[in-house]
Short mmCIF file of all heavy atoms in Angstrom, two decimals:
data_model
loop_
_atom_site.label_atom_id
_atom_site.label_comp_id
_atom_site.label_asym_id
_atom_site.label_seq_id
_atom_site.Cartn_x
_atom_site.Cartn_y
_atom_site.Cartn_z
N ALA A 1 -2.85 12.80 -7.19
CA ALA A 1 -1.62 12.67 -6.48
C ALA A 1 -1.76 11.48 -5.39
O ALA A 1 -1.26 11.66 -4.30
CB ALA A 1 -1.21 13.94 -5.77
N GLY A 2 -2.30 10.36 -5.85
CA GLY A 2 -2.29 9.21 -5.03
C GLY A 2 -3.47 9.22 -3.98
O GLY A 2 -3.63 8.25 -3.31
N GLU A 3 -4.31 10.26 -3.99
CA GLU A 3 -5.46 10.31 -3.07
C GLU A 3 -6.68 10.10 -3.85
O GLU A 3 -6.84 10.56 -4.94
CB GLU A 3 -5.47 11.61 -2.28
CG GLU A 3 -4.17 11.73 -1.41
CD GLU A 3 -4.32 13.10 -0.64
OE1 GLU A 3 -4.86 14.15 -1.15
OE2 GLU A 3 -3.85 13.20 0.49
N THR A 4 -7.64 9.36 -3.25
CA THR A 4 -9.01 9.04 -3.80
C THR A 4 -10.07 9.82 -3.03
O THR A 4 -10.13 9.71 -1.84
CB THR A 4 -9.20 7.70 -3.93
OG1 THR A 4 -8.19 7.07 -4.65
CG2 THR A 4 -10.54 7.34 -4.63
N PHE A 5 -10.95 10.53 -3.72
CA PHE A 5 -12.12 11.23 -3.13
C PHE A 5 -13.32 10.66 -3.78
O PHE A 5 -13.49 10.65 -5.03
CB PHE A 5 -11.99 12.72 -3.29
CG PHE A 5 -10.68 13.36 -2.77
CD1 PHE A 5 -9.54 13.43 -3.64
CD2 PHE A 5 -10.58 13.72 -1.42
CE1 PHE A 5 -8.35 13.92 -3.07
CE2 PHE A 5 -9.43 14.25 -0.98
CZ PHE A 5 -8.36 14.46 -1.81
N LEU A 6 -14.33 10.32 -2.95
CA LEU A 6 -15.63 9.94 -3.51
C LEU A 6 -16.64 11.07 -3.31
O LEU A 6 -16.69 11.72 -2.28
CB LEU A 6 -16.23 8.66 -2.76
CG LEU A 6 -15.56 7.39 -3.16
CD1 LEU A 6 -16.32 6.25 -2.25
CD2 LEU A 6 -15.77 7.05 -4.68
N GLU A 7 -17.27 11.49 -4.39
CA GLU A 7 -18.28 12.48 -4.40
C GLU A 7 -19.66 11.96 -4.67
O GLU A 7 -19.90 11.32 -5.76
CB GLU A 7 -17.88 13.54 -5.44
CG GLU A 7 -16.42 14.19 -5.22
CD GLU A 7 -15.94 14.94 -6.46
OE1 GLU A 7 -16.76 15.02 -7.42
OE2 GLU A 7 -14.79 15.51 -6.31
N TYR A 8 -20.57 12.18 -3.77
CA TYR A 8 -21.94 11.64 -3.99
C TYR A 8 -22.96 12.46 -3.22
O TYR A 8 -22.53 13.18 -2.31
CB TYR A 8 -22.04 10.15 -3.65
CG TYR A 8 -21.64 9.73 -2.26
CD1 TYR A 8 -22.48 9.72 -1.17
CD2 TYR A 8 -20.25 9.52 -2.01
CE1 TYR A 8 -22.11 9.48 0.08
CE2 TYR A 8 -19.90 9.27 -0.69
CZ TYR A 8 -20.74 9.07 0.29
OH TYR A 8 -20.40 8.83 1.63
N ASP A 9 -24.21 12.11 -3.31
CA ASP A 9 -25.29 12.81 -2.67
C ASP A 9 -26.24 11.83 -2.23
O ASP A 9 -27.15 11.39 -2.79
CB ASP A 9 -25.97 13.81 -3.70
CG ASP A 9 -27.16 14.57 -2.96
OD1 ASP A 9 -27.19 14.58 -1.73
OD2 ASP A 9 -27.94 15.18 -3.73
N GLY A 10 -26.04 11.41 -0.88
CA GLY A 10 -27.06 10.61 -0.23
C GLY A 10 -26.99 9.14 -0.58
O GLY A 10 -27.94 8.35 -0.24
N VAL A 11 -26.03 8.60 -1.38
CA VAL A 11 -25.93 7.25 -1.75
C VAL A 11 -24.52 6.75 -1.47
O VAL A 11 -23.61 7.58 -1.29
CB VAL A 11 -26.24 7.07 -3.25
CG1 VAL A 11 -27.67 7.36 -3.47
CG2 VAL A 11 -25.40 7.89 -4.13
N SER A 12 -24.47 5.45 -1.47
CA SER A 12 -23.04 4.91 -1.18
C SER A 12 -22.80 3.81 -2.23
O SER A 12 -23.74 3.19 -2.85
CB SER A 12 -23.02 4.25 0.20
OG SER A 12 -23.98 3.25 0.44
N LEU A 13 -21.50 3.49 -2.39
CA LEU A 13 -21.05 2.43 -3.38
C LEU A 13 -20.08 1.52 -2.66
O LEU A 13 -19.24 1.87 -1.83
CB LEU A 13 -20.27 3.18 -4.53
CG LEU A 13 -19.65 2.25 -5.45
CD1 LEU A 13 -20.60 1.45 -6.36
CD2 LEU A 13 -18.81 3.06 -6.43
N GLU A 14 -20.39 0.18 -2.93
CA GLU A 14 -19.52 -0.85 -2.35
C GLU A 14 -18.17 -0.77 -2.98
O GLU A 14 -18.05 -0.97 -4.15
CB GLU A 14 -20.14 -2.26 -2.64
CG GLU A 14 -19.16 -3.34 -2.32
CD GLU A 14 -18.87 -3.50 -0.85
OE1 GLU A 14 -19.67 -3.81 -0.02
OE2 GLU A 14 -17.68 -3.15 -0.51
N THR A 15 -17.19 -0.37 -2.22
CA THR A 15 -15.81 -0.31 -2.66
C THR A 15 -14.81 -1.07 -1.77
O THR A 15 -13.75 -0.67 -1.70
CB THR A 15 -15.32 1.22 -2.77
OG1 THR A 15 -15.40 1.70 -1.38
CG2 THR A 15 -16.13 1.95 -3.68
N GLY A 16 -15.36 -2.18 -1.17
CA GLY A 16 -14.46 -2.96 -0.40
C GLY A 16 -13.51 -3.63 -1.18
O GLY A 16 -13.62 -3.75 -2.41
N PRO A 17 -12.31 -4.05 -0.59
CA PRO A 17 -11.19 -4.62 -1.27
C PRO A 17 -11.58 -5.94 -1.94
O PRO A 17 -12.23 -6.83 -1.25
CB PRO A 17 -10.21 -4.79 -0.35
CG PRO A 17 -10.83 -4.81 1.00
CD PRO A 17 -12.05 -3.93 0.85
N LEU A 18 -11.17 -6.22 -3.20
CA LEU A 18 -11.33 -7.55 -3.77
C LEU A 18 -10.15 -8.44 -3.53
O LEU A 18 -10.24 -9.64 -3.66
CB LEU A 18 -11.43 -7.38 -5.34
CG LEU A 18 -12.70 -6.66 -5.78
CD1 LEU A 18 -12.55 -6.15 -7.28
CD2 LEU A 18 -13.92 -7.66 -5.72
N ASP A 19 -9.07 -7.96 -3.10
CA ASP A 19 -7.89 -8.78 -2.72
C ASP A 19 -7.07 -8.03 -1.60
O ASP A 19 -7.43 -6.96 -1.24
CB ASP A 19 -7.02 -9.15 -3.90
CG ASP A 19 -6.41 -7.92 -4.56
OD1 ASP A 19 -6.46 -6.76 -4.06
OD2 ASP A 19 -5.76 -8.13 -5.62
N GLU A 20 -5.98 -8.72 -1.27
CA GLU A 20 -5.27 -8.14 -0.22
C GLU A 20 -4.45 -6.78 -0.43
O GLU A 20 -4.03 -6.10 0.42
CB GLU A 20 -4.18 -9.13 0.33
CG GLU A 20 -3.10 -9.47 -0.61
CD GLU A 20 -3.47 -10.44 -1.73
OE1 GLU A 20 -4.65 -10.88 -1.73
OE2 GLU A 20 -2.59 -10.78 -2.54
N THR A 21 -4.38 -6.46 -1.81
CA THR A 21 -3.71 -5.25 -2.24
C THR A 21 -4.58 -4.08 -2.09
O THR A 21 -4.16 -2.87 -2.20
CB THR A 21 -3.24 -5.38 -3.63
OG1 THR A 21 -4.34 -5.40 -4.49
CG2 THR A 21 -2.35 -6.51 -3.83
N GLY A 22 -5.91 -4.31 -1.74
CA GLY A 22 -6.87 -3.24 -1.62
C GLY A 22 -7.57 -2.81 -2.82
O GLY A 22 -8.28 -1.79 -2.92
N LEU A 23 -7.52 -3.65 -3.87
CA LEU A 23 -8.11 -3.31 -5.16
C LEU A 23 -9.65 -3.30 -4.95
O LEU A 23 -10.22 -4.24 -4.31
CB LEU A 23 -7.83 -4.48 -6.23
CG LEU A 23 -8.62 -4.39 -7.52
CD1 LEU A 23 -8.23 -3.16 -8.34
CD2 LEU A 23 -8.36 -5.63 -8.40
N SER A 24 -10.34 -2.38 -5.43
CA SER A 24 -11.86 -2.19 -5.34
C SER A 24 -12.30 -2.03 -6.72
O SER A 24 -11.66 -1.63 -7.62
CB SER A 24 -12.10 -1.08 -4.37
OG SER A 24 -11.75 0.25 -5.00
N PRO A 25 -13.78 -2.14 -6.83
CA PRO A 25 -14.33 -2.09 -8.18
C PRO A 25 -14.10 -0.64 -8.85
O PRO A 25 -13.92 -0.59 -10.02
CB PRO A 25 -15.76 -2.22 -7.90
CG PRO A 25 -15.78 -3.12 -6.65
CD PRO A 25 -14.66 -2.62 -5.77
N ILE A 26 -14.08 0.37 -8.01
CA ILE A 26 -13.98 1.74 -8.61
C ILE A 26 -12.55 1.90 -9.23
O ILE A 26 -12.43 2.72 -10.18
CB ILE A 26 -14.12 2.81 -7.50
CG1 ILE A 26 -14.57 4.17 -8.13
CG2 ILE A 26 -12.79 2.92 -6.64
CD1 ILE A 26 -16.04 4.16 -8.45
N GLY A 27 -11.62 1.12 -8.83
CA GLY A 27 -10.15 1.31 -9.43
C GLY A 27 -9.82 0.28 -10.38
O GLY A 27 -8.60 0.19 -10.89
N VAL A 28 -10.80 -0.58 -10.88
CA VAL A 28 -10.43 -1.65 -11.76
C VAL A 28 -9.87 -1.25 -13.12
O VAL A 28 -8.89 -1.70 -13.63
CB VAL A 28 -11.65 -2.59 -11.99
CG1 VAL A 28 -11.44 -3.48 -13.19
CG2 VAL A 28 -11.91 -3.42 -10.75
N GLY A 29 -10.52 -0.18 -13.67
CA GLY A 29 -10.06 0.33 -14.93
C GLY A 29 -8.60 0.86 -14.91
O GLY A 29 -7.84 0.57 -15.84
N ILE A 30 -8.28 1.56 -13.87
CA ILE A 30 -6.96 2.02 -13.74
C ILE A 30 -5.95 0.88 -13.58
O ILE A 30 -4.86 0.90 -14.18
CB ILE A 30 -6.87 2.96 -12.51
CG1 ILE A 30 -7.77 4.17 -12.75
CG2 ILE A 30 -5.41 3.38 -12.16
CD1 ILE A 30 -7.88 5.13 -11.57
N CYS A 31 -6.34 -0.13 -12.82
CA CYS A 31 -5.52 -1.30 -12.57
C CYS A 31 -5.24 -2.03 -13.88
O CYS A 31 -4.05 -2.43 -14.22
CB CYS A 31 -6.19 -2.30 -11.68
SG CYS A 31 -5.24 -3.90 -11.33
N LEU A 32 -6.14 -2.14 -14.79
CA LEU A 32 -6.01 -2.83 -16.08
C LEU A 32 -5.06 -1.97 -16.96
O LEU A 32 -4.19 -2.53 -17.68
CB LEU A 32 -7.37 -2.99 -16.77
CG LEU A 32 -8.29 -3.96 -16.05
CD1 LEU A 32 -9.55 -4.02 -16.77
CD2 LEU A 32 -7.74 -5.34 -15.93
N LEU A 33 -5.20 -0.71 -17.00
CA LEU A 33 -4.25 0.23 -17.71
C LEU A 33 -2.88 0.09 -17.18
O LEU A 33 -1.92 0.07 -18.05
CB LEU A 33 -4.78 1.65 -17.70
CG LEU A 33 -6.05 2.00 -18.44
CD1 LEU A 33 -6.43 3.44 -18.23
CD2 LEU A 33 -5.84 1.76 -19.99
N GLU A 34 -2.73 0.08 -15.91
CA GLU A 34 -1.31 -0.11 -15.35
C GLU A 34 -0.77 -1.40 -15.75
O GLU A 34 0.42 -1.57 -16.09
CB GLU A 34 -1.37 0.05 -13.85
CG GLU A 34 -1.65 1.42 -13.34
CD GLU A 34 -1.86 1.52 -11.85
OE1 GLU A 34 -1.91 0.47 -11.20
OE2 GLU A 34 -1.82 2.68 -11.33
N ALA A 35 -1.55 -2.57 -15.73
CA ALA A 35 -1.03 -3.82 -16.16
C ALA A 35 -0.64 -3.85 -17.63
O ALA A 35 0.30 -4.41 -18.03
CB ALA A 35 -2.17 -4.86 -15.85
N ALA A 36 -1.41 -3.12 -18.43
CA ALA A 36 -1.16 -3.03 -19.88
C ALA A 36 0.26 -2.39 -20.14
O ALA A 36 0.95 -2.72 -21.04
CB ALA A 36 -2.29 -2.30 -20.69
N ALA A 37 0.60 -1.33 -19.32
CA ALA A 37 1.69 -0.54 -19.54
C ALA A 37 2.99 -1.17 -18.79
O ALA A 37 4.05 -1.11 -19.37
CB ALA A 37 1.52 0.85 -19.02
N GLU A 38 2.75 -1.76 -17.63
CA GLU A 38 3.91 -2.12 -16.88
C GLU A 38 3.92 -3.49 -16.25
O GLU A 38 4.86 -3.97 -15.68
CB GLU A 38 3.95 -1.09 -15.63
CG GLU A 38 4.19 0.29 -16.12
CD GLU A 38 4.22 1.27 -15.02
OE1 GLU A 38 4.05 0.80 -13.79
OE2 GLU A 38 4.20 2.56 -15.23
N GLY A 39 2.75 -4.30 -16.40
CA GLY A 39 2.69 -5.54 -15.84
C GLY A 39 3.73 -6.56 -16.42
O GLY A 39 4.00 -6.54 -17.50
N PHE A 40 4.13 -7.52 -15.53
CA PHE A 40 5.00 -8.63 -16.03
C PHE A 40 4.18 -9.56 -16.83
O PHE A 40 3.32 -10.13 -16.40
CB PHE A 40 5.66 -9.36 -14.85
CG PHE A 40 6.50 -10.48 -15.29
CD1 PHE A 40 7.82 -10.23 -15.70
CD2 PHE A 40 6.00 -11.71 -15.19
CE1 PHE A 40 8.57 -11.35 -16.14
CE2 PHE A 40 6.77 -12.89 -15.69
CZ PHE A 40 8.06 -12.62 -16.11
N ILE A 41 4.56 -9.76 -18.12
CA ILE A 41 3.81 -10.52 -19.08
C ILE A 41 4.30 -12.00 -19.01
O ILE A 41 5.40 -12.31 -19.40
CB ILE A 41 4.06 -10.03 -20.57
CG1 ILE A 41 3.49 -8.57 -20.61
CG2 ILE A 41 3.19 -10.93 -21.47
CD1 ILE A 41 3.79 -7.91 -21.97
N ALA A 42 3.48 -12.83 -18.46
CA ALA A 42 3.76 -14.23 -18.21
C ALA A 42 3.38 -15.09 -19.39
O ALA A 42 4.08 -16.04 -19.73
CB ALA A 42 3.12 -14.76 -16.93
N GLU A 43 2.26 -14.67 -20.13
CA GLU A 43 1.83 -15.54 -21.21
C GLU A 43 1.25 -14.48 -22.32
O GLU A 43 0.79 -13.44 -21.96
CB GLU A 43 0.74 -16.42 -20.88
CG GLU A 43 1.12 -17.50 -19.81
CD GLU A 43 0.03 -18.43 -19.46
OE1 GLU A 43 -1.06 -18.39 -20.08
OE2 GLU A 43 0.07 -19.18 -18.50
N SER A 44 1.30 -14.92 -23.57
CA SER A 44 0.75 -14.05 -24.60
C SER A 44 0.31 -14.97 -25.74
O SER A 44 0.91 -16.02 -26.00
CB SER A 44 1.71 -13.00 -25.16
OG SER A 44 2.84 -13.55 -25.71
N GLY A 45 -0.71 -14.54 -26.54
CA GLY A 45 -1.13 -15.31 -27.67
C GLY A 45 -2.38 -14.74 -28.31
O GLY A 45 -2.97 -13.88 -27.66
#
């Protein structure tokens, strides 16, 4: 429901933002699926 929870035991993961929208490595797969379904297609081939 729009909330993200990290679960781990004594370790940490770099999840700093890659751009101004807050995209982080942990969310890349979801971002790509959203682009596939709803992104504005500027080029194709």
Side-chain angles (χ1 to χ4, degrees):
E3 296 183 328
T4 302
F5 303 91
L6 282 180
E7 303 169 357
Y8 57 90
D9 183 13
V11 292
S12 61
L13 173 68
E14 171 62 73
T15 58
L18 290 162
D19 65 7
E20 69 280 359
T21 67
L23 173 67
S24 68
I26 204 76
V28 164
I30 296 173
C31 178
L32 295 178
L33 288 174
E34 290 177 346
E38 301 176 0
F40 176 82
I41 301 172
E43 299 177 13
S44 62

